[in-house]
Amino acid sequence: MNNQRGLFYNVDWVTILIYLALCTIGWFNIHAAVFDETHPSIVDTSTNYGKQFIFIMVSLCIATVILLLDYRFFSALAPPVYIITVLLLILVLVIGRNVGGNQAWIPLGGGFRLQPSEFAKSTTCLLLARYLSGTNVKITDRESFFIAAGIILLPMILIMLQPDAGSTLVFCSLIFVLYREGLSPWWLITIAVSATLFITSLLYNQWIVIAVLAVLAGLTIFLNLRNRKIMLPILTGLILCIGFVLAVKPLYNNVLKQHQRSRIDELLGITTDLRGAGYNVNQSKIAIGSGQLWGKGYLQGTQTKYSFVPEQSTDFIFCTIGEEWGFAGSVVVLGLFLFLLLRIIAIAERQHMVFSRIYGYGVASILFFHVIINIAMTIGLMPVIGIPLPFISYGGSSLISFTILLFVLLKLDSNRTGYA
């Protein structure tokens, strides 16, 4: 009992306070986003803001249970909980409920639904940490790399079949975990170059892009004439880049769905459709901009009150913050997220167990991706891919999964000086 008491008091309370602040901010802004004058009470369980209160209470109970468990529990159960999540992802493809074009929810009754893809993030982080912390496992070894990649790719493929492109892309952030554990930086460079070529190939004629690549390769070879060893890698890279550029348009037109292409075209300025694909983002930017410095005040947002922005309590919750709390309120929220992410990285780095460190970076990567993409989406810097803002957007699966993700790390951290 004394040991458990000591471990409980070793929990990082600063991180917990940030978590509670973000949950509270989310709850009040959900109340503002879907406020119903006939149900003014913020704890009215017949409304979404009342349900969010229930989700917060359930999340706090789960967080408490996690903090009372033995830290060895999470490493030991990583494989079975991962398998259970994979089975749920398969099950949702069979009996799942289709909402907004995605078959991602399992109905539970009483108006509640379970979204397995949200929980797959934490279970994937656990199994990835379990595997990479194993004896004689090095990410630089081909076998270890492919096993680690397989752990990440399996839930990605199942989620993509729903299809839920947003949740699928979240798993790509785990490449930062692999990089932290020794993956070559060339993988990150390859991803950055691929993204750049993808965008430029959509914006400009593919032959112009290829000509520019050829000129850059030629200049590089000319400036390094004495180093003949560099010629083959440059020519190989040029051929691969040309092949990628030629494949962009066919893949873009035949793999992505029409609404996905429309959102990307709108973002890149290829087309302008403020009544169609660009409507949500345009209304979101209007809402955020109208808040100016201090905002219009709680429950006073006109864009929010008259429901100009669809999905405003979920994917577009940040525009409620921008409209009612202004630039100042937005900076506070962004500051809390920045502080939380820096705190998580610091927690990860101070771990004595490799498992805990790897898991910590997994938590940081997933939260970073969600925050950056969600906010960039609402201000028109990224295409709309439908992912929630952690701890703030409405949704039980989202809040509970992020709570589990964070508090498992806090439990591991609380035992960092007492590993056996």
Side-chain angles (χ1 to χ4, degrees), residues 2 12 36 63 74 80 91 108 124 148-149 157 199 205 207 234 276 380 398:
N2 290 333
D12 192 317
D36 183 353
F74 305 107
L91 182 64
L108 299 178
T124 301
I157 293 170
I199 294 172
N205 184 283
W207 298 111
I234 290 176
S398 170

Side-chain angles (χ1 to χ4, degrees), residues 216-227 230-231 234-235:
L216 291 175
L219 285 173
T220 304
I221 292 174
F222 178 76
L223 294 172
N224 294 273
L225 285 176
R226 295 181 180 180
N227 187 3
I230 202 173
M231 293 182 64
I234 290 176
L235 291 175

Side-chain angles (χ1 to χ4, degrees), residues 170 281 284 288 311-319 321 333-334 337 366-390 392-394 398 402:
V170 170
V281 174
S284 175
I288 294 172
E311 310 297 338
Q312 194 160 343
S313 64
T314 52
D315 300 340
F316 284 87
I317 189 68
F318 188 74
C319 65
I321 297 171
V333 172
L334 288 172
F337 276 121
I366 288 175
L367 289 179
F368 174 78
F369 187 93
H370 267 273
V371 172
I372 292 297
I373 299 302
N374 179 276
I375 294 177
M377 183 179 72
T378 61
I379 60 179
L381 296 180
M382 289 290 292
V384 178
I385 59 174
I387 61 173
L389 189 60
I392 291 183
S393 292
Y394 170 77
S398 170
F402 281 125

Side-chain angles (χ1 to χ4, degrees), residues 15-30:
T15 302
I16 292 178
L17 288 175
I18 299 172
Y19 162 81
L20 292 174
L22 289 171
C23 288
T24 303
I25 290 170
W27 181 30
F28 277 89
N29 279 282
I30 291 167

Side-chain angles (χ1 to χ4, degrees), residues 252-271:
Y252 183 72
N253 292 324
N254 296 304
V255 175
L256 295 183
K257 294 187 175 182
Q258 179 59 48
H259 72 276
Q260 294 171 329
R261 296 199 301 272
S262 298
R263 290 169 179 175
I264 295 175
D265 289 345
E266 184 74 25
L267 174 69
L268 297 178
I270 298 173
T271 60

Side-chain angles (χ1 to χ4, degrees), residues 44-106:
D44 188 333
T45 56
S46 65
T47 64
N48 280 0
Y49 36 90
K51 290 178 182 178
Q52 188 70 6
F53 174 72
I54 296 175
F55 297 148
I56 292 173
M57 293 298 104
V58 171
S59 296
L60 290 175
C61 291
I62 292 172
T64 303
V65 171
I66 290 173
L67 294 178
L68 292 174
L69 291 172
D70 189 293
Y71 71 92
R72 288 173 285 247
F73 172 87
F74 305 107
S75 178
L77 265 71
V81 295
Y82 178 85
I83 292 172
I84 291 171
T85 304
V86 168
L87 293 176
L88 287 173
L89 289 174
I90 295 172
L91 182 64
V92 79
L93 296 174
V94 179
I95 66 168
R97 179 178 175 185
N98 194 302
V99 178
N102 297 334
Q103 190 168 322
W105 287 266
I106 297 175

Side-chain angles (χ1 to χ4, degrees), residues 110-311:
F112 294 98
R113 305 189 300 263
L114 176 70
Q115 188 176 5
S117 59
E118 290 294 332
F119 297 95
K121 300 166 190 175
S122 55
T123 57
T124 301
C125 283
L126 281 171
L127 186 60
L128 187 64
R130 166 72 180 266
Y131 174 70
L132 292 177
S133 61
T135 307
N136 298 325
V137 175
K138 294 182 179 179
I139 197 63
T140 51
D141 295 338
R142 183 177 299 178
E143 181 181 352
S144 298
F145 171 76
F146 281 116
I147 293 175
I151 291 171
I152 299 171
L153 285 173
L154 179 56
M156 284 182 68
I157 293 170
L158 293 173
I159 292 170
M160 194 62 199
L161 292 174
Q162 294 177 359
D164 185 352
S167 296
T168 302
L169 289 173
V170 170
F171 288 82
C172 295
S173 66
L174 294 177
I175 192 171
F176 293 110
V177 178
L178 304 183
Y179 173 71
R180 172 62 181 82
E181 294 308 306
L183 185 68
S184 171
W186 281 107
W187 283 94
L188 297 180
I189 295 172
T190 300
I191 292 173
V193 170
S194 299
T196 303
L197 290 178
F198 177 79
I199 294 172
T200 53
S201 297
L202 293 179
L203 290 174
Y204 305 103
N205 184 283
Q206 60 186 8
W207 298 111
I208 294 177
V209 177
I210 290 172
V212 171
L213 289 172
V215 170
L216 291 175
L219 285 173
T220 304
I221 292 174
F222 178 76
L223 294 172
N224 294 273
L225 285 176
R226 295 181 180 180
N227 187 3
R228 294 185 178 181
K229 292 182 180 180
I230 202 173
M231 293 182 64
L232 182 59
I234 290 176
L235 291 175
T236 303
L238 177 61
I239 293 172
L240 291 174
C241 287
I242 291 174
F244 181 83
V245 170
L246 292 174
V248 166
K249 287 289 179 68
L251 290 174
Y252 183 72
N253 292 324
N254 296 304
V255 175
L256 295 183
K257 294 187 175 182
Q258 179 59 48
H259 72 276
Q260 294 171 329
R261 296 199 301 272
S262 298
R263 290 169 179 175
I264 295 175
D265 289 345
E266 184 74 25
L267 174 69
L268 297 178
I270 298 173
T271 60
T272 302
D273 183 10
L274 298 183
R275 294 182 180 274
Y279 176 81
N280 289 10
V281 174
N282 184 56
Q283 293 299 324
S284 175
K285 291 193 287 187
I286 291 173
I288 294 172
S290 67
Q292 299 185 25
L293 181 59
W294 300 109
K296 298 176 181 177
Y298 186 53
L299 299 179
Q300 301 304 311
T302 52
Q303 291 290 112
T304 296
K305 184 179 296 183
Y306 296 112
S307 303
F308 283 104
V309 184
E311 310 297 338

